[in-house]
Amino acid sequence: MTSTYKSAALFVYSRKGNTVGILNNLDETDVTYIHRWTKDLTPEEVKKSFDNSEVILLGLPTYYPTYQTEPEFPKYLKDFEETILTLKGKTIILFGSGRSEYALFCGVLDYMYEKLSYQNTVHMFKFEGYPKQEQIDSFELLVRDVLEGR
């Protein structure tokens, strides 16, 4: 993919590498800002990149206890809650890995979709475990279509 389209920011959290695995076909030049969650990443850095981007790729795995029945904002992103939940007028691609045997398969994505879709255009891409090549290819097509405005 060539960066001749909408400005984009990528924010991804991946504890086991599954969620980041879906990015294998993407080129770093496809996005202007790349944030992989670390303890040193600040909400100010993320907010600046989100403010300067038309498209936001938000990669979030689901880690809920098996007994939990309602999705909620993920604890691992508490510092970024206001920055994420106040997004307006953006095109957002939510993506992440989950486990289908749990009641809340990719529940974080469902939660984010519900919260963000009122004031943004939101696409969602869920997969189980480490993504298969066909899922990686499909995700690349989704990202390309969104970045090119199709």
Side-chain angles (χ1 to χ4, degrees):
M1 296 189 326
T2 308
S3 188
T4 59
Y5 31 64
K6 297 180 179 181
S7 59
L10 167 66
F11 181 101
V12 64
Y13 176 86
S14 187
R15 216 169 73 186
K16 298 178 183 174
N18 294 343
T19 298
V20 78
I22 201 75
L23 303 171
N24 285 347
N25 283 5
L26 300 183
D27 188 318
E28 287 185 11
T29 62
D30 294 329
V31 293
T32 309
Y33 303 95
I34 299 174
H35 301 291
R36 180 135 185 207
W37 185 91
T38 66
K39 293 185 188 301
D40 299 330
L41 185 61
T42 67
E44 296 76 26
E45 288 176 84
V46 174
K47 181 173 180 3
K48 179 182 176 188
S49 66
F50 285 2
D51 287 348
N52 292 317
S53 298
E54 298 169 86
V55 176
I56 297 168
L57 288 81
L58 196 54
L60 307 171
T62 295
Y63 298 106
Y64 285 132
T66 56
Y67 59 81
Q68 193 167 345
T69 58
E70 291 294 320
E72 61 186 32
F73 194 86
K75 290 175 181 38
Y76 58 83
L77 289 180
K78 193 69 176 156
D79 291 346
F80 305 95
E81 186 169 10
E82 182 179 345
T83 301
I84 293 170
L85 294 181
T86 58
L87 290 168
K88 293 181 184 164
K90 304 292 182 180
T91 299
I92 301 169
I93 300 174
L94 296 171
F95 64 96
S97 175
R99 293 182 54 188
S100 61
E101 69 263 23
Y102 296 125
L104 295 176
F105 173 64
C106 292
V108 168
L109 300 181
D110 295 330
Y111 176 88
M112 292 296 191
Y113 185 87
E114 182 182 318
K115 297 295 182 185
L116 295 172
S117 62
Y118 294 107
Q119 298 185 44
N120 302 281
T121 300
V122 181
H123 305 270
M124 188 161 37
F125 195 93
K126 297 178 180 182
F127 54 97
E128 184 161 5
Y130 194 84
K132 295 171 181 58
Q133 188 60 48
E134 80 177 31
Q135 294 168 314
I136 293 169
D137 295 344
S138 294
F139 184 73
E140 178 191 13
L141 290 174
L142 169 64
V143 171
R144 180 180 295 136
D145 286 349
V146 168
L147 290 177
E148 293 178 357
R150 291 190 241 160

